[in-house]
Amino acid sequence: MNERDPLTALKQLIEWESFELLERIRNKKRKSTVGRKPFDAVLMLKALVSPHLYNLSNDALEFQIRDRYNFFRFLDLKPEGRGPDTKTIWLFREQLMEHNLIKELHEEFALQLQSKGFKIHKGQIIDAGIVDAPKLRNSREENAQIKAGDTPERFKQNPHVQCQKDIDARWTKKNNDNRYSYSYSYSYSYKNDIAVDAEHKLTRELYVSSAEVHDSQALLDMLSENKGKGVWAGSAYWRKNFELTLWAMSYCSHIHQKGTREKPLAEKQQASNR
């Protein structure tokens, strides 16, 4: 992919007009001809893909669309034309979620990449990241209900309160380690387990859970169909029974082994981890 302008390379690589799944969003008839027509669904899909190449927020993406010619060219817009704003981008993402299209679009995107030669040749790398959610200011009773999977009565009675509460995230303990200190902190968050292929570094699988779910519970769901290839992951994913499972499934495990206080890793195991 062109490192100077990855958007140009991505536009040439993907057949964007082939995403027929997007028709489910635009098949609703307009009640009135008053007002502006919605942006083309393919244009909006491009707009959602582009910020991941530059790690942009919706607000930053809106600015780049207005300011950068390569974004206009990628979205097939004219410099004097208008582009989608922050709210339009957010609403389109919500529509994709409402129609359950995210996974299907990702699979179609992956199939196109594979047809252009971006296949998994060496294996996949799996890792997890924490995504913080807004902290809740609830009573102890309400927090206990949320932890048990129930919705507090106060939230049900007041929709304005409920829409401000994220009751699917959970608390977890994070390591705050740097050169000078090592400590823990608690975070109300989600967890993203991501599998990328070892050669092209393209995302192949994604597993989203609340933060208290252990990394090892996502491992088997993250494996691609490429048997015989390597699987690299940190020690949080290691379990002795997983090694046997991966061997039985014809995968080559490179997962870091994990020692304990009673049974630390041998020098050979430490070298293998490195």
Side-chain angles (χ1 to χ4, degrees):
M1 188 173 286
N2 188 344
E3 294 183 359
R4 294 185 177 181
D5 189 2
L7 290 177
T8 299
L10 191 61
K11 183 177 181 180
Q12 297 172 351
L13 187 65
I14 300 297
E15 298 178 8
W16 295 97
E17 298 298 332
S18 66
F19 288 91
E20 298 178 356
L21 298 170
L22 297 174
E23 294 180 1
R24 301 181 197 174
I25 296 179
R26 296 294 190 241
N27 62 2
K28 185 177 180 180
K29 295 183 179 180
R30 299 183 67 192
K31 298 180 180 179
S32 172
T33 57
V34 177
R36 291 177 174 177
K37 293 182 179 179
F39 285 98
D40 179 71
V42 173
L43 182 152
M44 293 304 304
L45 178 61
K46 290 181 182 179
L48 287 185
V49 171
S50 56
H52 295 285
L53 298 174
Y54 302 95
N55 195 25
L56 301 176
S57 65
N58 287 349
D59 290 325
L61 175 60
E62 179 185 351
F63 174 78
Q64 294 296 341
I65 291 175
R66 293 177 177 176
D67 186 67
R68 300 285 295 275
Y69 181 71
N70 62 331
F71 277 83
F72 265 96
R73 183 172 53 197
F74 178 63
L75 299 179
D76 292 317
L77 294 171
K78 296 180 180 180
E80 66 275 11
R82 71 183 183 97
D85 58 16
T86 300
K87 185 175 181 180
T88 303
I89 296 168
W90 177 82
L91 286 173
F92 185 76
R93 183 182 288 111
E94 292 295 310
Q95 287 179 318
L96 292 180
M97 295 173 62
E98 181 182 346
H99 289 80
N100 296 318
L101 290 179
I102 298 292
K103 186 173 180 61
E104 292 184 67
L105 288 170
H106 181 268
E107 291 174 351
E108 173 65 24
F109 198 87
L111 286 174
Q112 288 205 35
L113 290 176
Q114 290 183 33
S115 68
K116 300 297 175 61
F118 290 88
K119 298 181 180 180
I120 300 180
H121 296 292
K122 296 182 179 179
Q124 58 197 59
I125 304 169
I126 300 175
D127 200 4
I130 295 296
V131 180
D132 290 331
K135 295 180 181 179
L136 303 183
R137 305 299 178 185
N138 305 321
S139 65
R140 291 186 178 181
E141 182 180 353
E142 289 174 339
N143 284 332
Q145 290 177 320
I146 293 172
K147 188 174 182 179
D150 300 325
T151 302
E153 195 64 30
R154 180 169 66 95
F155 299 178
K156 297 178 182 179
Q157 295 176 353
N158 192 334
H160 298 292
V161 173
Q162 185 169 358
C163 71
Q164 300 294 327
K165 300 291 186 178
D166 189 335
I167 61 175
D168 294 320
R170 292 293 183 269
W171 288 94
T172 188
K173 184 166 65 174
K174 293 197 303 184
N175 297 337
N176 298 325
D177 53 320
N178 53 49
R179 294 179 57 186
Y180 307 104
S181 64
Y182 184 84
S183 60
Y184 295 102
S185 67
Y186 289 89
S187 171
Y188 188 72
S189 50
Y190 292 91
K191 181 179 291 183
N192 280 345
D193 291 270
I194 300 176
V196 301
D197 68 77
E199 182 178 3
H200 305 294
K201 306 302 185 292
L202 295 171
T203 301
R204 300 295 183 174
E205 296 291 341
L206 175 65
Y207 185 91
V208 182
S209 64
S210 51
E212 90 287 1
V213 176
H214 197 272
D215 293 354
S216 61
Q217 296 187 32
L219 178 64
L220 298 181
D221 291 319
M222 302 290 290
L223 298 177
S224 68
E225 295 298 326
N226 290 265
K227 305 290 181 70
K229 307 300 183 182
V231 177
W232 286 265
S235 58
Y237 291 92
W238 188 85
R239 291 291 184 275
K240 187 175 182 179
N241 60 319
F242 281 180
E243 298 292 298
L244 297 173
T245 301
L246 291 174
W247 176 82
M249 296 172 66
S250 301
Y251 289 100
C252 182
S253 175
H254 299 284
I255 300 176
H256 284 194
Q257 298 185 54
K258 189 175 184 179
T260 62
R261 182 178 299 178
E262 293 77 16
K263 191 177 181 180
L265 295 178
E267 292 184 6
K268 184 178 180 180
Q269 291 172 313
Q270 294 178 14
S272 176
N273 283 356
R274 287 194 294 271

